[in-house]
Amino acid sequence: MRKPILLTILVCLSLFAFAQQEDAEEQRLRDEVYKYFDTTDRLAFEDAVHQLRSYYKTMGKWHEMYTAWENEIVYDINNDHFYSALKKTEDMNDFIVSKDHQDEFYRMDYLMGVFYGTRNNIAMCKKYLDQALEKLKGRKEYRAEASNIYMLLANILAFDSPDSATVSIDKCIALCEDNRDLSAALQMKCIIEFGKKNREGFMKAYNKNSQIKRSDPKDYNPAYEDYIEQGKACFEGRFDDALEINSKMATRLDQLLFLTKIYDIQGDRAAEAEALKTLL
């Protein structure tokens, strides 16, 4: 799984998940961030997230302000602006230290985990994420932030270490506090089960996700629908449908990774080898 693409959703998942109340202006500003977070319109996104950061700073909502700042950094990582992301991380760290906001120190460990995760250095990624989890213990934000961290681990381990990924995503699901988070986590569960060619596990998570989509469409998160619909089509033997969905994916790397799995399940070894060769 290409780490940056899936990370595009990750921080949005935990974005202000534990806020108790929000006014109309806060909701409007948040919606603007969501609107541009999964696009390449960098100027529009930065304008939206800077407005949100200013709002939270004015209101004295420091934790929410740092979360918005964190989203800005991850956006740059997602879009391969690594120098900018590192500079913003340094700036945020300096700001946190200057304010002596000790409860926010875990963010540096989390972001280092993100950086190493996107470079596929799993050992260092897990080291920093474990440190972030340790610093979060006893905090009121623990459930939301820990859920986000376990989602990241599941993402990184999805195809290389699927059993470990299953452990992480199950922890994430257990910590989810709303249907927006839960629907995305269930879709990640589907992706992991698809990689394992586990039809039963896939359909169990798929059906739970579909139930949320029907019963709570307002909070449903369509994070990975293209991914899981390919899986469902494969498990139902509709390989032409799976290939059609795959052909419309925006990211070539993700497209090829899923293409190898489609051909694997179909049993087309020649096509699988060709797709794998192109992927490598």
Side-chain angles (χ1 to χ4, degrees):
M1 187 66 57
R2 182 174 183 262
K3 282 56 175 191
I5 291 302
L6 296 187
L7 286 172
T8 298
I9 306 298
L10 279 174
V11 184
C12 271
L13 284 177
S14 65
L15 193 60
F16 333 110
F18 40 82
Q20 298 299 310
Q21 295 180 340
E22 59 186 37
D23 58 27
E25 178 64 4
E26 181 178 2
Q27 181 65 58
R28 183 189 70 79
L29 292 170
R30 284 181 55 187
D31 287 345
E32 283 296 293
V33 173
Y34 281 124
K35 177 181 177 181
Y36 292 109
F37 194 84
D38 199 19
T39 74
T40 56
D41 192 342
R42 188 182 184 191
L43 292 178
F45 172 76
E46 287 188 342
D47 180 64
V49 79
H50 287 173
Q51 288 188 50
L52 185 61
R53 281 174 51 189
S54 295
Y55 170 86
Y56 282 128
K57 190 174 182 180
T58 300
M59 298 294 289
K61 293 185 175 183
W62 293 109
H63 186 80
E64 290 83 351
M65 192 278 286
Y66 288 125
T67 301
W69 201 339
E70 194 173 84
N71 272 268
E72 183 178 356
I73 293 167
V74 173
Y75 178 89
D76 278 350
I77 295 173
N78 292 338
N79 291 280
D80 298 328
H81 302 301
F82 289 104
Y83 176 80
S84 175
L86 286 168
K87 180 64 171 64
K88 289 175 181 177
T89 300
E90 181 181 326
D91 291 344
M92 186 170 76
N93 181 59
D94 290 344
F95 190 87
I96 290 172
V97 171
S98 71
K99 293 290 185 181
D100 196 29
H101 288 165
Q102 296 185 26
D103 284 350
E104 305 296 334
F105 286 172
Y106 76 92
R107 292 187 186 273
M108 296 303 103
D109 293 296
Y110 172 75
L111 286 169
M112 289 306 297
V114 173
F115 277 113
Y116 278 113
T118 60
R119 311 322 297 165
N120 208 32
N121 188 331
I122 295 174
M124 291 299 291
C125 173
K126 291 183 69 174
K127 172 189 172 182
Y128 279 104
L129 294 182
D130 285 343
Q131 290 177 184
L133 286 168
E134 186 65 28
K135 290 178 181 178
L136 279 164
K137 284 183 177 178
R139 295 272 306 281
K140 66 178 182 179
E141 302 90 359
Y142 177 82
R143 287 183 66 92
E145 297 293 348
S147 175
N148 188 54
I149 288 172
Y150 285 124
M151 184 76 157
L152 173 59
L153 280 171
N155 166 21
I156 289 170
L157 299 169
F159 287 115
D160 294 333
S161 302
D163 291 336
S164 296
T166 297
V167 172
S168 291
I169 199 60
D170 286 346
K171 289 180 179 180
C172 172
I173 289 171
L175 290 167
C176 287
E177 297 182 301
D178 57 48
N179 281 336
R180 180 174 180 81
D181 288 12
L182 181 57
S183 54
L186 286 168
Q187 291 166 42
M188 176 60 74
K189 175 82 169 178
C190 286
I191 291 172
I192 295 168
E193 298 299 337
F194 175 63
K196 293 161 69 173
K197 297 192 289 185
N198 181 356
R199 185 184 190 281
E200 182 179 356
F202 177 94
M203 290 308 303
K204 184 176 180 180
Y206 183 94
N207 290 334
K208 287 182 179 179
N209 179 69
S210 297
Q211 184 177 1
I212 294 174
K213 186 176 182 178
R214 290 191 302 270
S215 63
D216 192 9
K218 184 175 181 293
D219 284 336
Y220 174 72
N221 188 342
Y224 312 125
E225 276 196 340
D226 286 348
Y227 298 86
I228 67 172
E229 290 304 326
Q230 290 177 66
K232 184 170 185 288
C234 278
F235 284 130
E236 292 179 346
R238 297 183 288 108
F239 296 108
D240 288 343
D241 291 342
L243 291 171
E244 182 178 357
I245 298 169
N246 181 271
S247 68
K248 296 177 181 177
M249 293 182 74
T251 307
R252 180 62 171 159
L253 203 57
D254 283 0
Q255 181 186 39
L256 286 165
L257 182 54
F258 271 75
L259 198 58
T260 63
K261 297 297 181 182
I262 292 171
Y263 287 134
D264 180 19
I265 293 173
Q266 188 178 13
D268 189 338
R269 300 308 173 202
E272 178 191 359
E274 190 62 31
L276 181 60
K277 178 181 177 181
T278 306
L279 174 64
L280 292 174

